[in-house]
Amino acid sequence: MDALTGHLGELGHGLVTTVHLTVVTTIGALLLGVVVATLRVCPVPLLRGVGMVYVEVLQNLPLLALLVLFVFALPTIGITFPLFTSAAIVLAAYEGAYLAEAIRAGINTVGVGQAEAARAIGLTFGQSLRYVILPQGLRAVIQPMGNILIALLMNTSLAAAVGVVELTQAANNVNLVEAQPIAVFTGAGLAYMLLALVIGRITSMLERRWAIVR
């Protein structure tokens, strides 16, 4: 326990960074997921193709490779960002592809009659999506999106590989000093588990509150 109690400030800072990175990335990934899901169901073939390529590329590349490319390769052509910003951009882009597919699945659960009724009263595709289809589609996939956000939380640990001092990196720094890997990384693992439980609890509450009665 001394290995943890003697470094609570350092570990606490890493935990705060992890939470901050998760929140920022979640917002970016949700916005991107909605946009890409919209492209995927758009009646314009070119836009559907753009959405499909985005999802296929991001889902079939390792996240760590994307982080390394963004942080270490882009500066060679003059494109640089702070480490935290770089990690947030890459994580949002990566998880946005998975959220887009979850949201698209939710859109597909909305009955065809809903879209036809929207068109019948004069709504455009964009208006139908905004006011009729997306609200119902998002409510149908709250739990799957929650699972993706838990995966996003766990993936923030990969930011340590590019120099972001989040919880995993902070735990590693403490372990280098104390040489107590079991205590240090067990403590970090419990912190991740508690954060995941919080996300799961919130999504379960939202799912019950916004459940669609069919």
Side-chain angles (χ1 to χ4, degrees):
M1 288 297 295
D2 291 341
L4 295 177
T5 56
H7 298 273
L8 288 179
E10 188 175 353
L11 292 170
H13 183 270
L15 179 60
V16 169
T17 302
T18 290
V19 173
H20 185 197
L21 183 58
T22 301
V23 171
V24 171
T25 302
T26 295
I27 294 171
L30 284 171
L31 292 174
L32 191 56
V34 169
V35 171
V36 175
T38 300
L39 293 179
R40 294 279 276 152
V41 299
C42 179
V44 181
L46 177 60
L47 295 181
R48 285 203 308 273
V50 170
M52 182 187 71
V53 169
Y54 179 88
V55 169
E56 292 297 326
V57 170
L58 269 294
Q59 286 189 345
N60 289 286
L61 286 175
L63 176 56
L64 183 57
L66 291 172
L67 283 166
V68 171
L69 176 67
F70 202 90
V71 173
F72 298 113
L74 290 186
T76 62
I77 58 174
I79 302 175
T80 59
F81 296 95
L83 290 177
F84 183 92
T85 303
S86 297
I89 291 172
V90 173
L91 282 165
Y94 184 81
E95 300 297 342
Y98 289 91
L99 283 172
E101 287 300 275
I103 294 169
R104 185 170 73 96
I107 290 173
N108 289 337
T109 66
V110 179
V112 176
Q114 298 278 344
E116 292 176 346
R119 286 196 298 270
I121 61 174
L123 296 183
T124 64
F125 171 77
Q127 291 172 327
S128 300
L129 201 64
R130 179 180 177 184
Y131 296 114
V132 179
I133 299 172
L134 265 181
Q136 296 182 70
L138 289 172
R139 288 165 66 183
V141 290
I142 290 174
Q143 195 61 55
M145 288 196 298
N147 294 336
I148 293 171
L149 295 181
I150 290 174
L152 184 157
L153 165 67
M154 301 306 171
N155 284 338
T156 60
S157 63
L158 291 177
V162 293
V164 178
V165 186
E166 43 64 72
L167 181 57
T168 297
Q169 184 59 52
N172 188 55
N173 292 343
V174 171
N175 181 58
L176 290 175
V177 174
E178 299 291 344
Q180 296 288 333
I182 294 178
V184 172
F185 287 107
T186 297
L190 289 173
Y192 279 111
M193 183 180 72
L194 288 175
L195 291 175
L197 289 173
V198 169
I199 294 174
R201 178 64 176 169
I202 291 172
T203 53
S204 294
M205 291 172 58
L206 292 176
E207 185 179 38
R208 288 195 300 271
R209 181 175 180 179
W210 293 337
I212 299 175
V213 180
R214 299 189 185 278

